[in-house]
């Protein structure tokens, strides 16, 4: 199911991919282990139709995830060494967190686990890359309008996202551009010393150790351009719905891919207390937001003082930002510039083909 009929129009879609000079912002967010467990139970641990030879669990202790916003200005496929062929630009946002993947041994016993990353949702402003991410990688990626702007000082950072959806489900409602997320740093925010930020917080310190081990902001490439060992192993659930029964999957598999960073520069850290991160509550997104972040207090207005932009298409009604705002606590912010490599490693399990 991962073979692709090659043509001049699809070479750009084929993995592996590279992104040169990617600009990344990572927002580290505390998340309840029960929410992670519920997602794993529904997506990865469910028998459909057979049981995968793995069982996924949250990490022990206090758990964190990362909301990652990346701006790719030089993004291309390296399939069959076509380096830099037909580059494209896009901005993406994804929500990801680490979990433990336990092999299931004889007697249904869980064996020594490995740590992998899960990406429950992602948004992107490039339909070409979205198609490839969904159909080849199996990523839960949807289209969005994304604006990411940086200024001379950190507090000039503004990231806004809107989607095509419905603020309220109603028989007469029409799809429109609706606000989805806003984030920015508070006035007078300055970059901070990581050791000072981690003092007295062993749980956050342990999570940063995970990031360092994965080479998120400390990775490198060797002289041949190959990433050093490590990186993030990402597991995605790739599915095709049955056209005759949408409650079933005609094809379902767990795909393993790897993300690696190198040539990293401009690494800066910021306190989560200096960050405003808000999701906007709409009928199109509330199920996803509640499943990932739980029940949180919502407010009728944004905590950001900057005016929200119009991200709607020309000739259409302006983006609707008149929704409830759900703030999310941030523990740490990391920004950096890097080259990135993305590749599929293997299919871990195809459901319904167990010997």
């Amino acid at each position: 199911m991962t073979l692709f009929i090659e043509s001049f129009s699809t070479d750009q879609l084929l993995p592996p991919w590279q992104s040169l000079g990617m600009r990344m912002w990572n927002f580290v967010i505390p998340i309840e282990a029960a929410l992670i467990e519920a997602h794993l139970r529904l997506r990865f641990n469910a028998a459909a139709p057979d049981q995968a030879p793995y069982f996924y669990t949250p990490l022990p202790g206090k758990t964190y995830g990362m909301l990652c916003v990346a701006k790719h200005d030089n993004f291309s496929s390296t399939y069959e060494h076509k380096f830099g062929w037909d580059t494209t630009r896009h901005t993406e946002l994804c929500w990801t967190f680490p979990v433990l993947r336990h092999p299931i041994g004889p007697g249904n016993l869980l064996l020594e686990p490995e740590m992998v990353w899960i990406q429950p949702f992602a948004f992107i402003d490039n339909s070409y890359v979205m198609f490839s991410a969904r159909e080849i990688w199996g990523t839960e990626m949807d289209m969005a309008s994304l604006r990411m702007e940086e200024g001379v000082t950190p507090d000039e950072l503004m990231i806004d996202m809107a989607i095509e959806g419905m603020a309220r489900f109603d028989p007469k409602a029409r799809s429109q551009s609706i606000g989805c997320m806003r984030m920015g740093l508070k006035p007078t925010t300055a970059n901070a010393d990581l050791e000072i930020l981690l003092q007295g917080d062993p749980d956050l310190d342990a999570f940063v150790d995970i990031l360092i081990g994965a080479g998120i902001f400390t990775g490198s490439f060797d002289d041949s351009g190959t990433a050093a060992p490590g990186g993030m192993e990402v597991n995605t659930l790739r599915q095709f719905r049955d056209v005759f029964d949408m409650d079933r999957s005609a094809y379902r598999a767990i795909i393993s891919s790897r993300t690696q960073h190198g040539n990293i520069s401009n690494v800066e850290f910021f306190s989560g207390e200096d960050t405003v991160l808000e999701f906007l509550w709409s009928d199109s997104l509330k199920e996803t937001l509640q499943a990932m972040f739980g029940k949180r207090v919502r407010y009728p207005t944004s905590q950001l003082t900057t005016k929200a932009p119009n991200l709607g298409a020309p000739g259409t009604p302006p983006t609707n930002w008149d929704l409830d705002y759900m703030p999310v606590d941030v523990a740490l912010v990391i920004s950096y510039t890097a080259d990135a490599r993305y590749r599929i490693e293997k299919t871990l399990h195809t459901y319904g083909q167990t010997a």
Side-chain angles (χ1 to χ4, degrees):
M1 296 295 291
T2 56
L3 293 178
F4 217 82
I5 299 175
E6 186 176 357
S7 77
F8 73 93
S9 64
T10 57
D11 282 346
Q12 179 178 331
L13 298 173
L14 297 175
W17 293 337
Q18 70 172 3
S19 180
L20 303 179
M22 170 192 69
R23 184 65 179 151
M24 172 71 81
W25 284 82
N26 290 334
F27 299 83
V28 179
I29 299 172
I31 178 175
E32 296 177 26
L35 298 175
I36 295 177
E37 187 174 12
H39 178 78
L40 296 174
R41 181 172 61 251
L42 177 66
R43 305 288 292 177
F44 289 89
N45 293 333
D50 58 322
Q51 178 70 50
Y54 303 101
F55 190 81
Y56 294 79
T57 63
L59 268 62
K62 189 173 181 178
T63 48
Y64 295 88
M66 287 198 306
L67 197 68
C68 307
V69 183
K71 190 172 184 179
H72 303 274
D73 286 333
N74 190 332
F75 188 89
S76 64
S77 168
T78 61
Y79 177 68
E80 292 187 348
H81 307 291
K82 296 176 181 177
F83 292 101
W85 181 87
D86 199 7
T87 59
T88 185
R89 302 174 63 182
H90 65 271
T91 303
E92 67 170 319
L93 175 148
C94 74
W95 168 240
T96 183
F97 46 75
V99 300
L100 295 178
R101 184 186 66 205
H102 304 257
I104 300 176
N108 210 33
L109 296 176
L110 300 184
L111 305 180
E112 191 68 22
E114 293 182 89
M115 193 188 71
V116 298
W117 293 77
I118 305 297
Q119 293 183 358
F121 66 77
F123 292 94
I124 198 166
D125 60 2
N126 184 312
S127 60
Y128 207 46
V129 181
M130 183 198 71
F131 170 81
S132 180
R134 292 181 67 94
E135 302 303 319
I136 298 177
W137 300 77
T139 305
E140 292 285 341
M141 183 172 284
D142 290 301
M143 281 293 295
S145 298
L146 276 155
R147 185 196 72 164
M148 173 178 168
E149 293 184 358
E150 296 182 80
V152 177
T153 58
D155 59 354
E156 293 180 346
L157 170 74
M158 285 303 305
I159 304 175
D160 298 284
M161 184 173 77
I163 63 169
E164 188 71 17
M166 295 184 183
R168 302 286 182 269
F169 289 146
D170 183 270
K172 296 182 180 180
R174 293 185 178 183
S175 177
Q176 65 175 127
S177 175
I178 57 174
C180 174
M181 185 216 64
R182 300 200 73 200
M183 62 174 69
L185 299 180
K186 297 177 181 178
T188 71
T189 295
N191 60 306
D193 184 277
L194 181 61
E195 290 188 9
I196 295 177
L197 290 176
L198 299 180
Q199 282 180 358
D201 195 337
D203 295 310
L204 184 59
D205 193 3
F207 184 77
V208 170
D209 285 342
I210 291 173
L211 300 182
I212 293 174
I216 301 299
F217 52 88
T218 59
S220 61
F221 295 110
D222 60 27
D223 292 338
S224 67
T226 302
M232 298 171 61
E233 180 185 349
V234 180
N235 284 186
T236 53
L237 187 65
R238 187 164 181 259
Q239 302 184 87
F240 292 100
R241 295 285 103 186
D242 189 328
V243 295
F244 298 107
D245 185 353
M246 294 302 290
D247 290 331
R248 297 184 58 189
S249 296
Y251 174 83
R252 193 166 186 258
I254 300 175
I255 308 297
S256 171
S257 63
R258 188 166 295 273
T259 299
Q260 296 173 307
H261 293 164
N263 301 327
I264 296 172
S265 62
N266 305 319
V267 181
E268 292 183 313
F269 304 94
F270 303 93
S271 170
E273 295 180 353
D274 292 330
T275 308
V276 175
L277 194 161
E278 304 167 317
F279 286 100
L280 283 87
W281 193 263
S282 66
D283 282 355
S284 287
L285 278 180
K286 66 181 183 181
E287 183 177 356
T288 297
L289 295 178
Q290 187 162 312
M292 291 296 100
F293 303 105
K295 294 182 179 179
R296 297 174 183 256
V297 177
R298 303 193 300 273
Y299 301 94
T301 57
S302 172
Q303 296 180 17
L304 293 169
T305 57
T306 56
K307 183 180 179 181
N310 176 25
L311 299 177
T316 64
T319 304
N320 180 7
W321 296 99
D322 188 19
L323 302 166
D324 285 346
Y325 290 76
M326 186 184 81
V328 174
D329 294 332
V330 177
L332 175 69
V333 182
I334 309 168
S335 70
Y336 54 90
T337 303
D339 294 341
R341 304 283 188 270
Y342 308 90
R343 73 172 189 270
I344 291 178
E345 295 201 312
K346 59 183 176 180
T347 299
L348 294 175
H349 177 70
T350 302
Y351 289 85
Q353 295 185 14
T354 303

